[in-house]
């Protein structure tokens, strides 16, 4: 049976959605037995999707820096179906709170002015992504094929979606599987 | 009248004329989603979520579309569903509708509609503009970022409560809900009735104390009657793990129709007084905690030994407790020495035959006779404002400032109160709202006025107590029992207790009265008591216990019955 390869990544997010993915528990084994192969994911600790590409790409988190933008575009290129999971990836989510302030205000507050900061410094290394003026949802940067909202999405939603895709159907999330909080 | 025949989703339906399509659909169990519509408010067709498709192919809002002869509509056709999704996407894009950090998540009507129509992402990127938040008000938070401009709050504030504080300013995407034309809520003419927060479909208006304390689904909801004045408003109390989270006005109550005042909605949430939790005896200058049984034994022994046992009861306790109190004194103690914490002019009480609050709403003239209901009987003030808005004349008789004088046609000094008689001569329906503590001279004037009289008693069950023959303090007593509820005992009461050598107080809270007492027995508050109250109209309404009393704390009625058992 041909393997269905999955690559996932997290961008501007809290990792909660990947926790929810792990929360599928023994059903992860079931998915693997059904032919799923997890390639590059934060869980397998592989950074880049395989050269030959994957079937399903999963993005958790919003697009907050130029690095996130690049990663999202790269994964889009490497996958056939792209899923945005969690409110940050789907809507922009909680991280869009910073959209109400300028980049300078956010960095100053975060690195210099928090009550516990002493002699703070705004990091400037080239290795770090640069904040975009506004946080965006993944769909604002690349085409997204399927959405699983939730903060975090229930493990059942992720499982149902993957199971439906494996069966060659378009998943429809309804009832308890569709939630925004 | 002629019947109408119309078709909804292909089914022929026969209805009375004068209804909207939404009302017809609802009565036949057809679910049309709504957002700006609220059963208690007049429909304005603002959000268009309730659109239905007519035979002619037009989309019409069901909430404002009259049911007419031969009308044919589809309520969930593909076009309708597409239009509703489009509307939801526009609403989601307009302000901040990220649910995960919203107070209303779980109770939000916009969120529920998103779920119903499978909105799994925003079709349009949100407008990302920061709108102000107004946290200035003591009880109500106004979060413009969550507002969908449905105008429910405006309609509740004006049409239901009569306050006309909220309105809209600006146009288009800049439209903003605004109290008193761009005043902060705190500085506005808001009277903190909280109706706006009760009808808000999203997290835009909420009461601060109840906010972020869980979803309504996870709370226990209890219907009861407010005990903060004699109006007797129906309430719906939300509790969680025996904590009071919020209070709503009960829409179905014939008294207040869902409207409350600051006292009713917020004061029970803000209760900070110290409870009496155990019976306490004071002897030889020392305070000691004793068991409930010992407290009953001691109290009854003292009352039995007394030459002239006396009792004063609070008008905030239930009719059942008042009855038990009367039996305790008349039968067990053979004493007529009973009284009430308040005193009223009996003649003023008799003046009101069958007046009811609804009369205010249909009056041509309303008189406020030496009374200012705004702070003490908020819903009466609401009704007066509504009557004035409908065209009634308002006359105020007072020597002091009155918070409703802005609405008054004329204000009379008390010395010129007799001018009322001539002024009201040609008015058809007159309602006189009066202070039942007025002098008999006032009543001589009022007798000449043909009107419905509404005396504003102070407490929830004042009229219930008066009807049971309790009014004013007792004359003299050596051993006295006071059933205080949450009364702290004012100077007059404390002065009248000067001759009392042994004072037994049954009280909710620590107060100057309990400080004076020789024996204190804790009692359950009205929130923890079931029974009935008689409101100012004479309606006897059921009060349900909303919370459990602390361990070992009993209701007034149960304590008085234990007294009777002990006295045999």
């Amino acid at each position: 049976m041909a393997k269905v390869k999955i690559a996932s990544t997290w961008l501007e997010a809290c990792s909660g959605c990947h926790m929810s993915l792990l929360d599928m528990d023994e059903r992860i084994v079931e998915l693997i037995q059904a032919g799923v192969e997890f390639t590059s994911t934060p869980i397998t600790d592989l950074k880049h999707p395989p050269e030959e590409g994957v079937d399903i790409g999963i993005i958790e988190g919003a697009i907050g820096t130029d690095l996130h933008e690049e990663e999202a575009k790269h994964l889009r290129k490497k996958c056939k179906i792209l899923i945005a999971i969690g409110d940050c990836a789907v809507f922009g989510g909680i991280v869009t709170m910073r959209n109400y302030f300028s980049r300078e205000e956010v960095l100053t507050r975060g690195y210099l002015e928090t009550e516990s900061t002493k002699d703070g410094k705004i990091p400037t290394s080239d290795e770090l992504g640069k904040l975009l003026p506004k946080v965006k949802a993944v769909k604002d940067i690349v085409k997204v094929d399927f959405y699983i909202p939730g903060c975090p999405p229930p493990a059942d939603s992720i499982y149902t979606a993957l199971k439906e895709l494996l069966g060659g159907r378009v998943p429809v999330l309804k009832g308890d599987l569709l939630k925004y909080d | 009248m002629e019947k109408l025949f119309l078709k909804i989703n292909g089914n022929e339906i026969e209805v009375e004329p004068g209804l909207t399509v939404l009302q017809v659909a609802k009565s036949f169990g057809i679910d049309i989603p709504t957002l700006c519509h609220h059963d208690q408010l007049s429909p304005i067709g603002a959000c268009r979520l309730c659109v239905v498709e007519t035979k002619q192919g037009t989309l019409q809002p069901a909430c404002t579309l009259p049911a007419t002869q031969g009308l044919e509509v589809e309520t969930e056709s593909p076009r309708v569903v597409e239009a509703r999704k489009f509307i939801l996407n526009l609403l989601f894009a307009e302000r901040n509708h990220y649910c995960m950090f919203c107070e209303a998540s779980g109770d939000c009507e916009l969120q529920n509609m998103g779920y119903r129509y499978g909105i799994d992402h925003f079709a349009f990127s949100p407008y990302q503009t920061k709108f102000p938040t107004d946290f200035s008000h003591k009880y109500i938070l106004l979060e413009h970022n969550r507002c969908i401009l449905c105008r429910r709050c405006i309609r509740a504030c004006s049409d239901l409560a009569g306050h006309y504080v909220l309105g809209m300013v600006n146009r288009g995407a800049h439209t903003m809900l605004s109290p008193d034309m761009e005043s902060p809520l705190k500085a506005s003419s808001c009277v903190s009735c909280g109706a706006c927060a009760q009808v808000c479909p999203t997290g835009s208006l909420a009461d601060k104390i109840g906010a972020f304390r869980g979803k309504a689904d996870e709370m226990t909801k209890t219907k009861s009657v407010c005990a903060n004045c004699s109006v007797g408003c129906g309430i719906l109390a939300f509790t969680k793990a025996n904590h009071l989270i919020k209070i709503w006005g009960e829409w179905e109550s014939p008294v207040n129709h869902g409207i409350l005042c600051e006292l009713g909605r917020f004061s029970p949430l803000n209760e900070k007084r110290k409870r009496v939790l155990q019976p306490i005896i004071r002897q030889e200058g020392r305070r000691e905690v004793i068991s409930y049984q010992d407290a009953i034994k001691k109290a009854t022994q003292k009352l039995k030994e007394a030459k002239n046992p006396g009792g004063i009861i609070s008008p905030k306790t239930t009719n059942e407790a008042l009855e038990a109190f009367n039996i305790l004194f008349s039968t067990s103690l053979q004493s007529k020495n009973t009284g009430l914490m308040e005193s009223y002019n009996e003649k003023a009480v008799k003046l009101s035959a069958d007046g009811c609050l609804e009369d205010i709403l249909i009056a041509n003239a309303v008189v406020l006779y030496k009374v200012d209901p705004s702070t003490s009987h908020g819903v009466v003030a609401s009704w007066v404002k509504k009557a004035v808005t409908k065209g009634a004349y308002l006359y105020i008789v007072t020597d002091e400032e009155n918070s409703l004088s802005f609405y008054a046609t004329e204000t009379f000094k008390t010395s010129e109160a007799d001018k009322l008689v001539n002024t009201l001569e040609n008015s058809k329906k007159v309602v006189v709202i009066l202070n039942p503590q007025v002098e008999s001279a006032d009543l001589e004037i009022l007798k000449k006025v043909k009107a419905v009289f509404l005396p504003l008693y102070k407490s929830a069950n004042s009229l219930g107590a008066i009807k049971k023959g309790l009014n004013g303090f007792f004359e003299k007593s050596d051993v006295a029992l006071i059933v205080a509820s949450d009364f702290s005992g004012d100077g007059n009461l404390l002065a009248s207790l000067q001759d009392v050598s042994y004072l037994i107080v049954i009280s909710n809270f620590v107060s100057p009265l309990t400080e004076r007492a020789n024996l204190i027995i804790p009692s359950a508050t009205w929130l923890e008591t079931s029974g009935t109250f008689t409101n100012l109209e004479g309606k006897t309404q059921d009060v349900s216990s909303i919370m459990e009393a602390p361990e070992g704390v009993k209701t007034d009625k149960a304590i008085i019955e234990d007294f009777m058992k002990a006295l045999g």
Side-chain angles (χ1 to χ4, degrees), chain A residues 87-88 90-94 96-97 99-101 134-135 139-140 146-149 151 173 175 178-181, chain B residues 92 95-96 98-101 105-106 111 114-115 118-126 128-131 145 215:
Chain A
D87 280 354
C88 296
V90 173
F91 304 119
I94 201 157
T96 53
M97 271 184 173
N99 287 358
Y100 295 149
F101 308 92
K134 299 249 169 180
V135 177
K139 79 165 183 58
D140 295 334
F146 190 68
Y147 302 89
I148 310 178
C151 188
L173 297 180
L178 178 64
K179 61 193 277 282
Y180 304 151
D181 64 352
Chain B
F92 277 125
R95 294 195 182 184
N96 180 330
Y98 298 114
C99 299
M100 71 297 281
F101 52 93
S105 188
Q111 186 185 54
Y115 291 158
I119 306 289
D120 61 1
H121 68 287
F122 296 157
F124 313 108
S125 298
Q128 304 286 6
T129 300
K130 190 183 181 183
F131 287 89
N145 293 288
K215 300 172 184 176

Side-chain angles (χ1 to χ4, degrees), chain B residues 36 88 179-180 191 219 259 321 334 340 370 373 420 422 442 518:
Chain B
C36 74
L88 287 169
D180 284 356
V191 298
M219 294 178 201
I259 296 304
Q334 303 284 327
L340 188 68
K370 293 191 180 178
L420 265 184
N422 278 336
D442 295 309
N518 301 77

Side-chain angles (χ1 to χ4, degrees), chain A residues 49-110:
Chain A
E51 261 318 296
E52 70 277 14
V54 293
D55 300 290
I56 300 172
I58 296 175
I59 295 183
E60 166 193 347
I63 312 292
T65 68
D66 53 357
L67 192 68
H68 296 148
E69 206 172 333
E70 206 178 299
E71 270 196 60
K73 283 179 178 163
H74 184 62
L75 186 57
R76 174 74 268 188
K77 248 184 239 165
K78 292 285 174 197
C79 72
K80 290 175 192 154
I81 295 168
L82 184 65
I83 307 179
I85 65 165
D87 280 354
C88 296
V90 173
F91 304 119
I94 201 157
V95 289
T96 53
M97 271 184 173
R98 87 150 161 92
N99 287 358
Y100 295 149
F101 308 92
S102 72
R103 269 181 296 195
E104 289 63 36
E105 279 175 305
V106 171
L107 290 170
T108 312
R109 173 74 185 138

